[in-house]
Amino acid sequence: MQRLRNLREDHDLTQAQVAKVLGTSQTMYARYERGASELPIRHLIALCRHYQVSADFVLGLKPPENRLGQKRGG
């Protein structure tokens, strides 16, 4: 999932650091980013809380918003 990678990189985090937040291994987190493994709901919720974004955003169902709450490109 490209959004997971983008969020992680935007926050200057390593895969190992995010994996620690989730309580999983770096290898498993890397599989989530590549789309090789499905992201469990509990991890989706943890990532949303950590990055302070909606699940719709992480899942690609909602476009990113700028800091003023306006949709980008609109």
Side-chain angles (χ1 to χ4, degrees):
M1 294 178 68
Q2 187 65 37
R3 288 241 170 137
L4 290 180
R5 181 177 179 177
N6 290 345
L7 280 167
R8 178 178 57 79
E9 290 178 347
D10 288 349
H11 287 82
D12 296 320
L13 298 170
T14 65
Q15 288 182 342
Q17 289 170 313
V18 177
K20 186 173 181 178
V21 168
L22 299 178
T24 193
S25 68
Q26 179 275 327
T27 302
M28 182 53 82
Y29 179 76
R31 292 178 58 85
Y32 299 153
E33 279 194 5
R34 287 195 317 270
S37 290
E38 290 188 11
L39 182 69
I41 296 291
R42 69 183 186 280
H43 287 173
L44 173 61
I45 293 167
L47 289 170
C48 290
R49 287 180 176 153
H50 184 74
Y51 293 126
Q52 298 181 358
V53 296
S54 71
D56 284 351
F57 174 74
V58 174
L59 297 173
L61 302 174
K62 181 178 178 184
E65 296 181 355
N66 66 20
R67 293 185 188 268
L68 298 176
Q70 299 170 334
K71 292 180 182 175
R72 290 184 184 166

